[in-house]
Amino acid sequence: GTAARAEALAEARVAAEELQEQKRQKAKLESSLAELRAQRRRQEDSVQDEARKLLAARSEASALEVAAEALAAEVASSERHAEETERKALGVARELLETSQGISRLRAEASGQQGLRWEFEEAQQEEQLLQQQLELTRQGQAWQSHAEGAGQTAAAASAAASASAPRPADAGSSSA
């Protein structure tokens, strides 16, 4: 009996120790399982967080693509506007050059006309001098003719006076 009891007691101790070991292993496994579940939850949270970040990044990338397309369109429009402005500026520059050349031609023409004006004024002055000389010459001729005429008139008058002087009877008729 005692041997059987000792054996039963030894078996009970072994069984109790095995039970304790199984409980420790069970507790260890439950702890590991809880840790794995917590780790899986963290990974799921991380995956969800990464998925949200990825979705946000895709959304941002899409918005950036739209913005890049808008900027590209704006740049193209700006380039067209710049080209149009440049064309207009070149047109204005051409017109300015043509106007400048026209002004230059007009100035040259005006300068040439100024020379002609001076020549014309010189010709007018020369004409006036010639007219004055002609007038002086005419006056000189008139004086000379007058002087000659006066001389002839004086000679005729003195001849007439001498012819009429000896006749006293004519003196009365000449006063009438």
Side-chain angles (χ1 to χ4, degrees), residues 4-172:
R5 221 198 244 180
E7 204 178 303
L9 209 52
E11 282 181 21
R13 276 191 202 142
V14 169
E17 285 177 10
E18 282 180 8
L19 182 63
Q20 284 291 331
E21 184 60 31
Q22 284 177 355
K23 283 182 180 179
R24 276 194 299 270
Q25 283 185 354
K26 180 183 171 193
K28 203 176 191 184
L29 288 172
E30 284 177 351
S31 175
S32 291
L33 182 62
E35 182 62 34
L36 286 172
R37 284 182 178 155
Q39 189 177 10
R40 192 178 92 204
R41 273 193 302 271
R42 285 191 302 267
Q43 286 176 347
E44 285 175 354
D45 289 344
S46 177
V47 166
Q48 286 177 355
D49 189 41
E50 290 299 318
R52 280 191 297 273
K53 286 180 183 177
L54 180 61
L55 184 61
R58 282 183 182 163
S59 176
E60 188 176 338
S62 178
L64 287 173
E65 285 175 6
V66 169
E69 288 173 5
L71 282 175
E74 193 174 319
V75 165
S77 173
S78 179
E79 286 175 350
R80 283 191 304 273
H81 181 70
E83 288 171 1
E84 183 178 325
T85 301
E86 188 176 331
R87 261 194 335 269
K88 286 180 182 177
L90 286 173
V92 169
R94 277 189 215 104
E95 287 179 19
L96 184 60
L97 178 63
E98 289 171 4
T99 302
S100 179
Q101 289 172 343
I103 289 172
S104 195
R105 280 192 302 271
L106 288 174
R107 282 186 178 155
E109 219 176 280
S111 176
Q113 286 180 357
Q114 182 65 34
L116 289 175
R117 201 174 303 130
W118 288 337
E119 287 180 29
F120 178 71
E121 288 175 4
E122 284 180 21
Q124 281 182 327
Q125 289 174 357
E126 190 174 328
E127 179 186 12
Q128 287 175 353
L129 285 174
L130 290 173
Q131 283 179 352
Q132 288 173 357
Q133 286 178 353
L134 179 64
E135 187 63 30
L136 288 174
T137 303
R138 282 184 185 158
Q139 285 177 2
Q141 286 177 348
W143 278 101
Q144 188 178 10
S145 294
H146 180 67
E148 287 176 6
Q152 287 177 357
T153 306
S158 87
S162 61
S164 63
R167 289 187 245 147
D170 282 341

